[in-house]
Amino acid sequence: MDDLEKAILILFDEWGGPIDEGLKKKAEDYCHEIKEQPSVCTICIDKLCLTSLVQVQFWCLQTLHEVIRVRYTSMNLDEKFFIRKSVFSIACLEAIDEKNVARVLEGPAFIKNKLAQVLVTLISFDYPLIWTSVFVDFLSRLSKGAVVIDMFCRVLNALDEELISLDYPRTSGEMGVAGRIKDSMRQQCVGQIVRAWYDIVLLYRNSHQELCTSVLESMRRFISWIDIGLIVNDVFIPLLFDIVLASGLSEQFRGAAAGCLLAVVSKRMDSQAKLSLLQSLQINRVFGLVAQDGDSELVSSIAALLTGYAVEVLECFKRLNSEEGKGISMELLNEALPSVFYVMQNCEVDATFSIVQFLSSYVGTMKSLSPLREKQLLHVGQILEVIRAQIRYDPTYRNNLDILDRIGREEQDRMVEFRKDLFVLLRCVGRVAPDVTQVFIRDVLVNAVASPPDRNVEEVEAALALFYALGESISDESMRTGSGLLSELVAMLLSTRFPCHSNRLVALVYLETVTRYMKYVQENTQYIPIVLTAFLDERGIRHPNINVSRRASYLFMRVVKWLKVKLVPFIETILQSLQDTVARFTSMDYALEDRSGSEDGSHIFEAIGLLIGMEDVPLEKQSDYLSALLTPLCQQVEALLMNAKLLSPEENPAKIAIIEQIIVAINSLSKGFSERLVTASRPAIGLMFKQTLDILLQVLVVYPKIEPLRIKVTSFIHRMVDTLGASVFPYLPKALEQLLAESEPKEMVSFLLLLNQIICKFHTLFRDILEEVFPAIAGRIFNVIPRDAFPSGPGTNTEEIRELQELQRTLYTFLHVITTHNLSSVFLSPKSSACLDPMMQLLLYASCNHKDILVRKACVQIFITLIKDWCARPYSEEKVPGFQKFIIEHFATNCCLYSVLDRSFEFRDANTFVLFGEIVLAQKVMYEKFGDEFLIHFVSKGFPAAHCPQDLAEQYCQRLQGSDIKAFKSFYQSHIENLRMQQNGSLVFR
């Protein structure tokens, strides 16, 4: 063993003794030195002749491959000839310089594959111009027997993988090399290769089936680009079918023959020629083979052949226009479809075949066949059966899905995604053959209920899921009238007690399906009691699984929205049934449960609110219902607040959680009551909500720093603003004072959003309250946000910075809402005077520099509104001393000129162009309000700094004074673009 062999073994961790990092580094360096030597190819070939060490053989072949790829074009002719001759000799079991090289071909498969890769790399450089005879020469060596034949197959496989196959991404250069090689092979040797394949299979079919399998697998790769007549003839096709049908041969051998037939079937060609080919194959000979063991390799290959054949026949039907062609295509398809359906339901389908795509395409052809013939109706039933089988959950995951652990969640997510296309297909079938589809679903429901317990859950869930999905394809009119079997199906759905209803998946899909068909119940009110029972008993809100119970609450709320007035006679029954559910929602155990997500069970209160909040409910009853709900909840809050100071730190979180739940419940309950009802027609109801608000505002006094409670109370105030209207005003000062008192930046955002809502609803009615709170708000925010840009760079993207950025954006929206609702006078109140200058500086900086274009636009709009509000026409006394000067000297030049001259101001961006429109409008407004004072300063101070020629400045004055806004905008854009060119890249100061 020489040094190179030792170094290679160390590299591969195959050295007998201990290997430390130092020794491994030496081995790497030594091998690298060998690779860099000019004679490295000779060294590698010599080693391949002498060594029997697999690691050394692989290293030498890998090195040869790398060197040929990188250096081959720079080698001299003698070197190239030596490498070609040596590698070819090794591959053909021939000696080099009287040395025995048989040991390489006796190596494991990966060594021979590497050798094939090296040979193909040489072919890619030299065939056909220099190495013309490589394939012919190889064919003449096949008589040496199985070892050389096997190597020839590996070379052909490597040729496909490395150069020809389009399964891998190729560069245009690689595509060119592949085209050159294929063209040359077609002219020179493809016919001989095909003949060799045939002879080898014929000769070895009984004695060496593994070799024959390799030959056919190589052949399959080439069928797509060689002359199909070389395969499709009276010699080769019968041989392939003989092999497929011969039960005494190995499954791999028969599967390889089926693979070749699939390649023939999939060959791209003219549709008429393809149809003739498919017809001539008589593929029905193999239909019976799919009924064998579904997990066998052969059945998988036959399944792929049949599905591939069906796809091609269907394509012929779609592309051919002649009646005869369509007739033959449909005949072949009808003959194959029963076997294809069997494959879909019982076999592992090839990944390249999309069941949904094929069936959708087939269903699409049915649209032209009206009415459907008996055979098509039969196929519709089989398609529906395929869909049912495909969407059914695997019972293995039943427990995981029921408790929804990690495995169950993954399986559910996978199935939800997997089902999407299948349900689209179902709806297509439902539109093409509605009667057949509804009969199928009825039968599936009946059979599912009667199925044995070990399969009952999955069968019932699939049946209900089918019925649910079907609902999307049914028109509103059909849904209301219950056309076809729909009325029978809905009646069956509502009357059936499924034995597996305790299962989470079954319970959920049942409730979803009942909700989906509520339009039918709306028209057929005799079913309302049954629907209510389903939602209110252990199938719905009382279901033992908390997630089902919460979902049932949400769906029940939707049902109430659908049925509304029709539920008035049932209100007493519903409220009695929900007493314990309502009580449980604000209990200790429930409050401490996980309430993440939008479905926390509170929708049951929204449903109750919708029920009792209708004007169809008599006032006395309505008051009693609402009082029965609000009074105990408010008493519970008062008791908890009274005892708050006596609670230990361990008890407090639980009590706070209960208060949270109560606020959520009352908030949801109030959604059912309109502003008109509680303020105009039934003010007594409004009084009950005002008293409730008064009590809940005490929460902010007792727990001023508990963020979840502050959020819940803020949300309730939002709701009361909508519900109580202007009658909420007396409560706002106290509420706003408490919310502002302990606000962190994140809470200030929600506080500003509340104010925005109030301003948008009440406009100037809110002025007095806003004047009181604005100075405190502005002072608080101006103290925490920077006057210019936020810090940037590493370590600045912290949660604190992000919260401040969000607060700043919300502040700009708040100021925009104030100014656009005739409340700008709030900024001028004596209490706000200290805030005016920092606010102006902040708005100026944002209007010129803020990264968010929408924020810049809002700030420009604020300035436009303030100019209109605070500045009379020229020569009048100033309403706000210094404001006009600030606008002319700072806002006009910095925002309206310098910021748009910056090349980052991109006119092609839609939002930026809208901002530009506001900047143009601002100039028009300033000229209208300030006259020549604005114009002279803008032209004499701003334009010279921007290197603006005198003639352009004069044009600007004329256009501003004379043009309409649209013409001036167009002019100003071209004006700015001209100025940018004048600057020639120089920066403008700001």
Side-chain angles (χ1 to χ4, degrees):
M1 186 183 295
D2 63 16
D3 289 344
L4 178 57
E5 290 177 342
K6 289 177 186 174
I8 291 168
L9 289 176
I10 291 168
L11 276 184
F12 281 93
D13 293 323
E14 296 289 343
W15 184 246
I19 303 172
D20 58 32
E21 288 301 315
L23 183 61
K24 197 159 192 175
K25 181 71 169 63
K26 281 183 183 177
E28 283 177 9
D29 293 343
Y30 183 73
C31 290
H32 183 71
E33 284 174 23
I34 297 292
K35 283 186 180 182
E36 294 302 310
Q37 291 184 20
S39 60
V40 61
C41 290
T42 306
I43 293 169
C44 288
I45 289 165
D46 286 344
K47 273 279 170 263
L48 289 169
C49 294
L50 298 171
T51 188
S52 58
L53 294 168
V54 170
Q55 297 85 351
V56 176
Q57 289 175 347
F58 183 82
W59 186 89
C60 290
L61 290 167
Q62 177 69 26
T63 301
L64 272 175
H65 183 235
E66 291 172 9
V67 170
I68 292 168
R69 280 177 55 229
V70 176
R71 299 189 220 163
Y72 191 72
T73 52
S74 62
M75 292 181 186
N76 62 47
L77 296 177
D78 290 340
E79 283 181 288
K80 290 180 179 178
F81 176 78
F82 171 73
I83 293 169
R84 283 198 306 269
K85 180 178 179 299
S86 302
V87 173
F88 185 75
S89 297
I90 295 170
C92 293
L93 207 62
E94 293 176 349
I96 305 171
D97 299 332
E98 301 178 1
K99 294 172 185 172
N100 184 6
V101 296
R103 59 191 66 183
V104 175
L105 291 196
E106 289 171 0
F110 72 90
I111 292 291
K112 289 182 274 193
N113 289 340
K114 200 71 193 173
L115 175 59
Q117 191 183 33
V118 173
L119 187 56
V120 165
T121 307
L122 290 168
I123 289 170
S124 72
F125 281 113
D126 288 348
Y127 180 78
L129 296 177
I130 296 166
W131 201 5
T132 311
S133 62
V134 56
F135 292 108
V136 176
D137 291 343
F138 217 135
L139 286 167
S140 67
R141 267 78 167 179
L142 297 183
S143 57
K144 291 189 173 190
V147 175
V148 178
I149 293 170
D150 173 72
M151 193 62 216
F152 183 59
C153 291
R154 292 178 192 278
V155 170
L156 294 180
N157 293 348
L159 186 69
D160 179 65
E161 288 170 5
E162 298 289 317
L163 299 174
I164 295 173
S165 173
L166 295 177
D167 291 342
Y168 310 96
R170 306 286 186 198
T171 64
S172 57
E174 290 169 335
M175 296 282 279
V177 171
R180 183 192 79 215
I181 290 171
K182 288 193 291 185
D183 290 344
S184 302
M185 289 181 72
R186 286 190 193 104
Q187 290 175 14
Q188 183 198 41
C189 58
V190 162
Q192 294 166 270
I193 292 172
V194 172
R195 183 72 208 185
W197 286 334
Y198 179 80
D199 291 340
I200 292 164
V201 172
L202 209 58
L203 180 63
Y204 288 98
R205 64 181 289 181
N206 296 316
S207 60
H208 204 323
Q209 292 179 28
E210 189 178 343
L211 181 67
C212 292
T213 303
S214 298
V215 169
L216 291 179
E217 286 176 348
S218 293
M219 176 174 133
R220 172 185 58 78
R221 296 167 180 258
F222 281 67
I223 289 173
S224 65
W225 60 269
I226 65 174
D227 178 7
I228 195 65
L230 294 169
I231 308 296
V232 179
N233 50 52
D234 296 339
V235 178
F236 226 133
I237 291 296
L239 175 63
L240 291 173
F241 273 107
D242 283 350
I243 295 166
V244 171
L245 295 166
S247 57
L249 301 177
S250 74
E251 287 202 348
Q252 291 78 9
F253 185 19
R254 296 167 71 190
C260 291
L261 288 170
L262 175 58
V264 168
V265 162
S266 306
K267 175 85 170 173
R268 291 174 64 181
M269 61 179 77
D270 170 75
S271 297
Q272 188 59 58
K274 170 63 74 72
L275 183 60
S276 300
L277 167 64
L278 296 173
Q279 197 176 8
S280 70
L281 288 177
Q282 297 174 21
I283 210 88
N284 55 8
R285 288 178 274 181
V286 301
F287 287 172
L289 295 178
V290 290
Q292 297 179 7
D293 179 10
D295 293 330
S296 77
E297 200 171 317
L298 173 64
V299 170
S300 295
S301 300
I302 299 298
L305 172 59
L306 293 185
T307 52
Y309 172 81
V311 167
E312 295 298 328
V313 172
L314 185 57
E315 279 301 304
C316 288
F317 177 86
K318 287 158 65 178
R319 291 182 179 177
L320 291 170
N321 294 320
S322 69
E323 286 300 316
E324 183 187 6
K326 284 191 174 293
I328 294 169
S329 302
M330 192 49 71
E331 194 178 313
L332 293 177
L333 193 57
N334 286 337
E335 184 183 38
L337 277 174
S339 297
V340 173
F341 290 135
Y342 181 88
V343 165
M344 292 175 182
Q345 290 172 252
N346 299 284
C347 304
E348 191 69 39
V349 179
D350 184 70
T352 58
F353 173 71
S354 166
I355 289 176
V356 175
Q357 194 175 340
F358 171 75
L359 292 178
S360 298
S361 190
Y362 176 61
V363 170
T365 66
M366 291 183 181
K367 293 174 184 175
S368 61
L369 304 172
S370 185
L372 297 181
R373 302 181 185 93
E374 186 179 345
K375 190 152 275 187
Q376 270 81 44
L377 291 171
L378 179 65
H379 290 162
V380 165
Q382 290 174 303
I383 291 170
L384 291 167
E385 189 54 51
V386 168
I387 295 171
R388 187 191 69 83
Q390 291 281 322
I391 68 163
R392 198 170 49 213
Y393 276 99
D394 184 342
T396 309
Y397 297 106
R398 185 182 297 175
N399 290 334
N400 304 100
L401 286 160
D402 200 30
I403 61 174
L404 206 61
D405 58 13
R406 184 182 59 80
I407 294 170
R409 197 176 297 280
E410 286 174 2
E411 177 62 12
Q412 180 173 281
D413 291 346
R414 185 196 70 79
M415 190 59 105
V416 166
E417 193 60 36
F418 177 70
R419 284 176 163 187
K420 284 178 182 175
D421 290 339
L422 286 159
F423 285 150
V424 171
L425 173 61
L426 173 71
R427 291 191 284 273
C428 290
V429 175
R431 281 188 280 267
V432 170
D435 295 341
V436 176
T437 307
Q438 290 178 18
V439 168
F440 177 83
I441 289 176
R442 181 194 63 190
D443 294 345
V444 165
L445 275 169
V446 170
N447 293 335
V449 175
S451 60
D454 61 323
R455 284 173 41 223
N456 185 269
V457 169
E458 291 71 33
E459 295 288 348
V460 169
E461 196 280 337
L464 290 170
L466 286 173
F467 190 27
Y468 174 81
L470 180 70
E472 278 192 38
S473 66
I474 298 172
S475 69
D476 284 356
E477 183 59 30
S478 298
M479 186 77 84
R480 280 194 295 271
T481 58
S483 64
L485 284 176
L486 203 57
S487 55
E488 182 186 338
L489 281 167
V490 175
M492 182 190 297
L493 174 74
L494 295 172
S495 62
T496 303
R497 286 273 186 162
F498 297 105
C500 53
H501 223 118
S502 61
N503 180 271
R504 185 185 68 86
L505 279 178
V506 171
L508 286 173
V509 73
Y510 177 79
L511 294 170
E512 297 281 1
T513 308
V514 170
T515 307
R516 169 148 284 181
Y517 289 92
M518 205 43 58
K519 283 181 185 173
Y520 177 78
V521 176
Q522 212 174 6
E523 298 297 319
N524 297 271
T525 53
Q526 70 270 25
Y527 291 110
I528 288 178
I530 308 174
V531 169
L532 292 176
T533 304
F535 274 98
L536 297 174
D537 67 16
E538 68 284 348
R539 288 172 290 173
I541 289 164
R542 295 177 187 276
H543 196 281
N545 184 303
I546 187 71
N547 295 310
V548 174
S549 174
R550 288 174 176 175
R551 183 65 179 168
S553 297
Y554 167 73
L555 293 173
F556 181 64
M557 180 269 294
R558 283 178 54 195
V559 167
V560 171
K561 279 185 176 179
W562 273 112
L563 300 176
K564 274 199 170 174
V565 178
K566 291 172 182 175
L567 291 177
V568 171
F570 303 96
I571 289 178
E572 296 272 2
T573 309
I574 293 169
L575 292 178
Q576 284 174 9
S577 180
L578 289 174
Q579 273 182 342
D580 59 337
T581 305
V582 167
R584 191 174 78 247
F585 186 81
T586 56
S587 69
M588 182 84 72
D589 293 342
Y590 197 91
L592 294 175
E593 283 181 12
D594 176 34
R595 299 192 303 278
S596 58
S598 60
E599 290 173 16
D600 56 4
S602 64
H603 290 103
I604 202 65
F605 287 90
E606 187 173 348
I608 293 170
L610 290 165
L611 278 171
I612 66 175
M614 290 184 281
E615 295 207 28
D616 303 84
V617 180
L619 172 59
E620 190 178 341
K621 287 268 188 188
Q622 196 171 53
S623 296
D624 290 346
Y625 293 149
L626 186 58
S627 177
L629 287 157
L630 287 180
T631 303
L633 291 173
C634 289
Q635 287 172 350
Q636 203 176 349
V637 171
E638 286 178 315
L640 289 165
L641 294 178
M642 203 174 297
N643 297 327
K645 291 178 182 177
L646 305 175
L647 297 175
S648 66
E650 293 77 21
E651 292 175 300
N652 239 343
K655 303 299 182 185
I656 289 169
I658 293 173
I659 296 173
E660 275 187 67
Q661 288 292 92
I662 293 170
I663 299 171
V664 168
I666 296 172
N667 199 353
S668 298
L669 184 69
S670 68
K671 291 178 184 178
F673 294 82
S674 67
E675 182 181 348
R676 194 178 68 80
L677 182 136
V678 303
T679 58
S681 61
R682 296 180 182 181
I685 300 295
L687 180 62
M688 293 168 76
F689 279 114
K690 288 177 196 172
Q691 291 167 344
T692 303
L693 175 60
D694 205 26
I695 291 166
L696 294 186
L697 288 176
Q698 291 302 313
V699 172
L700 296 175
V701 178
V702 177
Y703 292 108
K705 295 185 179 181
I706 306 298
E707 186 185 352
L709 283 177
R710 292 172 66 87
I711 291 169
K712 297 291 188 299
V713 173
T714 303
S715 176
F716 184 61
I717 296 170
H718 273 290
R719 172 57 49 197
M720 289 299 99
V721 168
D722 275 343
T723 305
L724 295 173
S727 64
V728 80
F729 271 28
Y731 301 89
L732 288 179
K734 176 184 173 185
L736 297 177
E737 181 189 346
Q738 290 296 332
L739 287 172
L740 188 58
E742 301 288 342
S743 283
E744 296 295 326
K746 190 164 62 174
E747 292 167 330
M748 281 297 293
V749 170
S750 60
F751 181 69
L752 292 180
L753 293 176
L754 173 63
L755 291 176
N756 287 347
Q757 180 206 9
I758 296 169
I759 293 167
C760 290
K761 186 169 179 70
F762 300 117
H763 301 256
T764 53
L765 294 175
F766 186 56
R767 178 181 282 115
D768 293 344
I769 298 174
L770 186 60
E771 278 188 4
E772 288 298 315
V773 296
F774 180 76
I777 295 167
R780 180 80 58 83
I781 296 175
F782 292 161
N783 280 337
V784 294
I785 62 172
R787 297 292 169 91
D788 43 30
F790 281 92
S792 59
T796 58
N797 188 24
T798 61
E799 187 176 352
E800 183 184 359
I801 294 291
R802 287 195 297 273
E803 285 179 6
L804 289 175
Q805 287 172 332
E806 179 64 20
L807 175 59
Q808 188 197 60
R809 276 193 294 271
T810 311
L811 171 66
Y812 292 133
T813 305
F814 174 57
L815 297 175
H816 187 268
V817 168
I818 290 175
T819 52
T820 53
H821 286 81
N822 298 318
L823 288 166
S824 62
S825 61
V826 168
F827 302 143
L828 304 179
S829 71
K831 291 180 181 178
S832 299
S833 58
C835 307
L836 192 58
D837 183 61
M839 183 179 85
M840 289 299 151
Q841 298 299 334
L842 197 68
L843 288 170
L844 176 63
Y845 183 85
S847 66
C848 299
N849 304 296
H850 202 284
K851 290 179 181 178
D852 188 335
I853 293 295
L854 297 178
V855 167
R856 286 172 70 172
K857 182 187 80 172
C859 292
V860 173
Q861 288 173 334
I862 291 169
F863 276 122
I864 291 170
T865 307
L866 293 179
I867 294 166
K868 289 178 178 178
D869 288 354
W870 294 352
C871 303
R873 290 193 62 78
Y875 317 119
S876 298
E877 186 181 342
E878 278 194 272
K879 187 176 181 181
V880 185
F883 177 69
Q884 180 172 321
K885 182 181 179 184
F886 172 81
I887 291 295
I888 292 172
E889 294 182 4
H890 298 287
F891 171 73
T893 50
N894 284 291
C895 178
C896 299
L897 181 60
Y898 301 154
S899 78
V900 291
L901 277 172
D902 194 305
R903 291 184 187 276
S904 66
F905 194 97
E906 180 54 74
F907 286 107
R908 288 174 296 183
D909 175 68
N911 286 332
T912 305
F913 196 65
V914 173
L915 165 62
F916 181 68
E918 296 296 333
I919 287 171
V920 168
L921 176 62
Q923 293 169 73
K924 278 283 191 183
V925 171
M926 284 188 285
Y927 180 68
E928 179 190 324
K929 294 293 184 181
F930 308 142
D932 289 341
E933 192 176 341
F934 154 69
L935 193 57
I936 291 166
H937 186 277
F938 195 67
V939 172
S940 65
K941 302 291 185 186
F943 280 2
H947 312 297
C948 177
Q950 185 61 32
D951 61 325
L952 279 179
E954 289 173 3
Q955 277 188 51
Y956 172 83
C957 295
Q958 292 167 5
R959 296 299 185 97
L960 176 64
Q961 291 166 316
S963 303
D964 62 35
I965 189 75
K966 189 175 180 182
F968 180 61
K969 182 179 178 182
S970 177
F971 161 76
Y972 196 57
Q973 182 180 345
S974 65
H975 180 66
I976 292 297
E977 287 167 344
N978 286 333
L979 288 180
R980 285 181 181 178
M981 287 190 284
Q982 297 272 352
Q983 290 171 31
N984 195 24
S986 64
L987 293 173
V988 174
F989 66 83
R990 294 210 181 154

